[in-house]
Structure formats: C-alpha cells, structure tokens
Amino acid sequence: MEADLVGKAEAELDSKKLGRRLVFFPVPLQGHINPVIQLANVFHSKGFSITIIHTEFNSLDQSKYPDFTFHLIPDGLLEHEVSTSDVTVLLAKLNINCANPLRQCLDRLLQDKGEPVACLITDTIWYFTQELADSFNLPRIAFRTTSICSFLAFYSLPIFRKLGYLPKQDSQLEVEVPEFPPLRVKDIPAIKSRDPENVFSLISCMMEKTKAASGLIFNSFEELEQQELTKVGEEFRIPTFAIGPLHKYFPASSSSLMEQDRSAICWLDKQAPKSVIYVSFGSIAEMDETQLSEVAWGIANSLQPFLWVVRPGLVQNSSGLENLLPNGFLEAVNGRGYIVNWAPQQEVLAHPAVGAFWTHSGWNSTLESICEGVPMICSPFFGDQLVNSRFANDVWKIGLRLEEGLKKGEIERAIKRLMDEKESEEIRMRVSSYKEKINACVKEGGSSHQSVQSFIDYILSI
Ligand code: UDP
C-alpha cells in the first residue's frame, strides 16, 4: 500500500518534470541554509531538478536530500577564521575565497550534457556571484533570507551615515529616525565588527549586485510587508517575488546543523496549555556572563514554566552549562523549567503548551512564531534583528521589544505581561490573524502561492 503511494507520488513528479535545473549556493549559516533548502524543495516539487553547491564550512548532510545533486567546494578558511563571532569578516572572506572554486564548479556543471541550467540562485550576501553568473551568461536570482523591511534599512545605511545617525552615539539611541519610521537610532541595522568599514563595503556591494540581478526572491509574504515590497520594486527595478514563509512548505528540521534535542517535546507534553515561555536566541547571537545572569534571573523571577535553549557558544569561552547558570538559579526555579542545547524549534512553537516566544528576532524565528500564532518578546542582538523587532513591536504589534537590553526587571515584567491572557489579548489576536493570513497565502490562489508560479513562468521565459 505504502509502496503504491510512493510510486504514485514519483509518477506525479515525473509528469511535472520541466527538464530544467536550478543551481543554489547557500551562505553557510543556519538562518540562511534553512530557507535555501526549503526553497529548493519548493521548486523541486514544481518539476525542477536541483543542484546545491556548498562550502566545507558548515557543509550539508547530502544523504538527507537524495533528490538533489550536490557539489562541495573548498572555502579556503583557515582554522582560526572558522568563527561567527565577527560575521562580516567571515562573509567578506568567503566572498573572496569562494570565487575561483565556484567558477570552476559552475564551468564543469554548464559543460555537462544534462538538463540546461535555468539560473543560479544565490543569497544577496554572495555579491561576487553576480559577475560570475554574467560571465557565463547565466541569469542570477538573488535570494534575501531576511525581512523586506530590514533589507530596506540596510539599503539606507549610506543615507543614515550621511544624516549623522552613524556611528551611533549613546545619547542618540532613542532618537527617532523620521526618514525610516518607526526606527529609532538604536534600531539601525548595525553589525559590530573589528572593521566597521568592512560592514559598509559588504552591504554596498550586496545592494549594487542585487540591482544587477535578474530577479529577487524574499522569504516573506505580501500581507505582512506590502508597502516594503512596493518600495523595493521602485528602488531595485527588477522582478521581485515574496514567496514565504518557506517553512510552511517544508520544515527546517532536516537542515539543522546541530542535533535537535527531542526531549524538549516530551517535557512540553507534561505542561499545561499555553503555560510555557520558550526562550532561544538563534544560532549566532552571543552574550556575556552578566547578560546570561540577567536572562536567568528574569526568567526565574517571572515564575513561569520555561523551555530555554542555551546553545554551546552562546557565552563565548564558557566551560559548560553548570558553570554558566548563576548561583541559586536552579533552586529558585525548582524544576519549573527545562534547558536544552538546541531544540526542534518549529515543533516547539507548534506545541499547545507554548504560550510565548522570547526571541532574538532572527527572521526565521520570527516567521516560525507568526506561523504558529505565538506572540513574542524581542531581544535583538545585531543586524536585521534590530529592524525585525522594531516592526514586531510598533508595526505588526505582535511582540514586546525589550527596550533596556537584557535587564532582569524588564524581562520579568515582559514575560508576566505576555503570559497573562488578559493583558496580552490584543497581541494574541493580531498574531492569530497573521497566522490565518499565512495559511491563506500559501494555498492555491494565495499571494505567495501565486508568486511561486509567477517566478516559474518568469524563469522559464528568460
Ligand atoms: N533553531 C532550531 N533550534 C533551536 C534554535 C533555532 O532549530 O534551538 C532554528 C530555527 O527554527 C530557525 C533557525 O534555527 O529556523 C534560526 O534562524 P534565525 O533566522 O531565527 O536566526 P539566526 O540563527 O540566523 O540568528
């Protein structure tokens, strides 16, 4: 019976085959890999053959995707360079180091007698791939894995600098930026780097090369970012497609670089409905020991059950969880919580016991939370997270941004407010309404569903 079904599905897919290949080259970071794998799956289900070229750093487990063809290329990173602590330095290096290996790989691929390659789909961060694609006369589609609002804020960095908002001054942080409401100076998407010029140059190369691309895909949806999508269309003047949230089509768990601890789900199974605050700051954010202690006491003092992801590397150079947690914390929480290294996040957010998500406002986390109708507490660390959290708080009104940084008093108040059904009623209603909009937009006739089809028509026409 099962074999019959598999056979039927394969036959259906065969009948859809378009005889064209899409080539992807993901940026090797968790928040970028997940949407690329999801995007590749979407297009595979529509009849394209898929090739993924990936780096040695954070390389993918090819055995998980038997339908895709993979090519591994050297990234030239030295041992001490393999670190996400200064992410712009890492990305700038990769943009240089990968140029030749990718050229050689594409050259071989294009000489192959197999299906013709329709286009190269690469992250906007891979700015070097535009010239490379041009040199092969191959259309390049830029893929932006974060929100459209943050993309526009990055695009505006040179203006922010010209207007004197950058570098940020402590006395100016709360000042509003009238040129980009509702941002305040502190929300401008800065990325800390030992070489701040590096950040500007990376962003400006990224924007310039995106303008030269044959199209731009966003992992977002019109109902959330309509205005921003229109603005991008006006500024970039290339075909633009909002086709997210991509994890609605395919889950992120298969592309997790770390093993997801499923005992988190068993623990949640024993909790009351909507009673648990889920706490996770994604795959790159780092904090110091003082901040970790504030987080811990904020959670403890809220008196709520909690599921907390303390990823190895969350506190740099730390020697294990036992030494990280402040003295007296475990006694204070008295079995009220559960801590894991890495969680099956999508499943956690979909679990009936979860009532709220305290997040760093990474874009995948934000979308995953909205999709499950879970309201957020937002603690941005850097980059797009700063913009996402401001929009979650002020525009979409589905989250509470912690304005004081990581301070136990504000954390405790925010958790209590969000977990109180009456106090958080409006936020919950709004996030539920976005959840419904998402369910509609990925269905036949919905905005994202239609954008997928428009993209396919477009790519087959050029
Ligand atoms: N994630 C996960 N387990 C965790 C924490 C995160 O599987 O314990 C996944 C999460 O579902 C999301 C991704 O890691 O798909 C994080 O991406 P995001 O854009 O939110 O943040 P980043 O890690 O890029 O800062």
Side-chain angles (χ1 to χ4, degrees):
M1 179 71 177
E2 212 167 80
D4 270 5
L5 282 178
V6 173
K8 207 171 153 211
E10 276 174 2
E12 230 170 72
L13 205 58
D14 268 355
S15 70
K16 280 201 218 159
K17 280 209 168 127
L18 296 168
R20 303 288 283 278
R21 182 168 291 280
L22 300 178
V23 179
F24 291 83
F25 180 47
V27 161
L29 299 174
Q30 185 71 78
H32 295 252
I33 290 171
N34 289 356
V36 167
I37 292 293
Q38 290 152 2
L39 189 64
N41 269 307
V42 170
F43 290 134
H44 183 257
S45 73
K46 299 285 179 188
F48 285 98
S49 299
I50 303 295
T51 292
I52 298 192
I53 304 174
H54 60 133
T55 57
E56 284 164 340
F57 170 56
N58 280 347
S59 69
L60 299 170
D61 179 353
Q62 305 186 3
S63 66
K64 288 185 181 163
Y65 316 97
D67 294 330
F68 300 170
T69 307
F70 285 87
H71 296 278
L72 186 65
I73 59 166
D75 50 48
L77 290 177
L78 304 173
E79 210 171 304
H80 70 274
E81 293 171 333
V82 180
S83 154
T84 50
S85 280
D86 194 332
V87 81
T88 40
V89 168
L90 175 76
L91 294 173
K93 244 200 155 57
L94 284 170
N95 263 286
I96 296 167
N97 292 3
C98 292
N100 268 333
L102 187 67
R103 174 180 295 283
Q104 286 161 9
C105 184
L106 270 180
D107 197 22
R108 280 196 303 274
L109 240 161
L110 293 171
Q111 285 183 33
D112 220 42
K113 294 271 175 296
E115 296 142 305
V117 175
C119 67
L120 174 67
I121 303 185
T122 58
D123 204 299
T124 49
I125 288 173
W126 287 135
Y127 56 81
F128 78 92
T129 60
Q130 186 57 49
E131 263 175 45
L132 192 58
D134 289 344
S135 72
F136 285 112
N137 225 352
L138 187 65
R140 174 212 174 203
I141 302 295
F143 178 33
R144 184 63 183 165
T145 57
T146 67
S147 59
I148 311 177
C149 56
S150 69
F151 183 68
L152 283 171
F154 275 116
Y155 179 63
S156 308
L157 278 186
I159 302 173
F160 294 147
R161 182 144 79 156
K162 220 180 194 164
L163 291 168
Y165 298 127
L166 298 173
K168 296 180 190 178
Q169 309 294 329
D170 282 350
S171 60
Q172 301 291 304
L173 293 178
E174 300 300 333
V175 169
E176 288 179 7
V177 179
E179 295 80 6
F180 204 123
L183 293 197
R184 304 182 196 173
V185 169
K186 68 179 179 186
D187 307 321
I188 292 177
I191 302 177
K192 271 199 203 119
S193 173
R194 59 177 183 268
D195 179 3
E197 274 316 307
N198 212 341
V199 180
F200 279 101
S201 125
L202 184 81
I203 304 295
S204 86
C205 290
M206 179 174 119
M207 294 301 168
E208 184 197 325
K209 300 303 178 193
T210 301
K211 282 187 170 169
S214 300
L216 175 57
I217 296 179
F218 283 105
N219 184 17
S220 187
F221 58 106
E222 279 179 21
E223 287 74 1
L224 189 72
E225 299 198 277
Q226 177 65 67
Q227 266 185 330
E228 291 72 24
L229 190 62
T230 308
K231 177 106 177 105
V232 166
E234 287 162 8
E235 293 288 335
F236 284 73
R237 305 205 162 276
I238 54 172
T240 302
F241 308 88
I243 67 175
L246 287 164
H247 74 275
K248 275 303 269 188
Y249 303 94
F250 289 94
S253 52
S254 76
S255 47
S256 186
L257 294 167
M258 282 208 279
E259 191 162 347
Q260 299 179 321
D261 185 342
R262 299 201 50 81
S263 67
I265 304 293
C266 304
W267 182 81
L268 283 173
D269 286 343
K270 294 189 219 103
Q271 310 304 315
K274 293 211 181 328
S275 65
V276 174
I277 169 109
Y278 168 57
V279 185
S280 169
F281 305 113
S283 62
I284 305 177
E286 288 177 0
M287 59 179 70
D288 59 30
E289 287 187 29
T290 314
Q291 290 172 314
L292 187 108
S293 164
E294 293 287 319
V295 171
W297 284 119
I299 294 175
N301 297 343
S302 77
L303 306 178
Q304 287 292 328
F306 63 89
L307 171 63
W308 182 13
V309 176
V310 182
R311 187 195 85 236
L314 178 65
V315 176
Q316 254 204 330
N317 306 323
S318 59
S319 53
L321 186 59
E322 302 75 44
N323 304 322
L324 267 181
L325 295 172
N327 281 338
F329 171 78
L330 289 176
E331 295 75 12
V333 296
N334 191 22
R336 208 167 359 93
Y338 197 63
I339 300 181
V340 291
N341 273 337
W342 195 244
Q345 180 161 303
Q346 264 178 258
E347 264 182 84
V348 165
L349 288 167
H351 198 286
V354 170
F357 180 15
W358 179 12
T359 170
H360 68 309
S361 294
W363 190 236
N364 294 292
S365 296
T366 304
L367 284 177
E368 287 158 12
S369 201
I370 303 176
C371 277
E372 302 306 334
V374 176
M376 288 166 270
I377 294 173
C378 307
S379 285
F381 284 72
F382 64 87
D384 66 304
Q385 301 155 17
L386 298 158
V387 185
N388 301 339
S389 57
R390 177 57 62 210
F391 271 64
N393 188 90
D394 289 36
V395 180
W396 309 318
K397 300 189 166 85
I398 52 177
L400 301 176
R401 189 199 192 281
L402 296 184
E403 301 290 356
E404 296 168 18
L406 296 171
K407 291 280 177 295
K408 61 183 177 211
E410 191 187 19
I411 297 167
E412 176 191 339
R413 285 191 299 279
I415 298 179
K416 283 183 168 158
R417 198 177 139 198
L418 208 54
M419 298 304 284
D420 181 298
E421 272 191 38
K422 268 225 134 25
E423 279 221 54
S424 60
E425 200 179 337
E426 286 189 6
I427 290 191
R428 281 177 196 281
M429 265 164 47
R430 274 189 295 268
V431 74
S432 297
S433 142
Y434 277 119
K435 176 183 174 175
E436 282 166 27
K437 286 181 178 142
I438 287 177
N439 288 337
C441 84
V442 296
K443 282 207 186 104
E444 185 109 34
S447 62
S448 294
H449 193 273
Q450 281 181 353
S451 285
V452 170
Q453 197 50 53
S454 308
F455 176 78
I456 295 172
D457 295 343
Y458 171 65
I459 212 63
L460 293 178
S461 74
I462 55 175

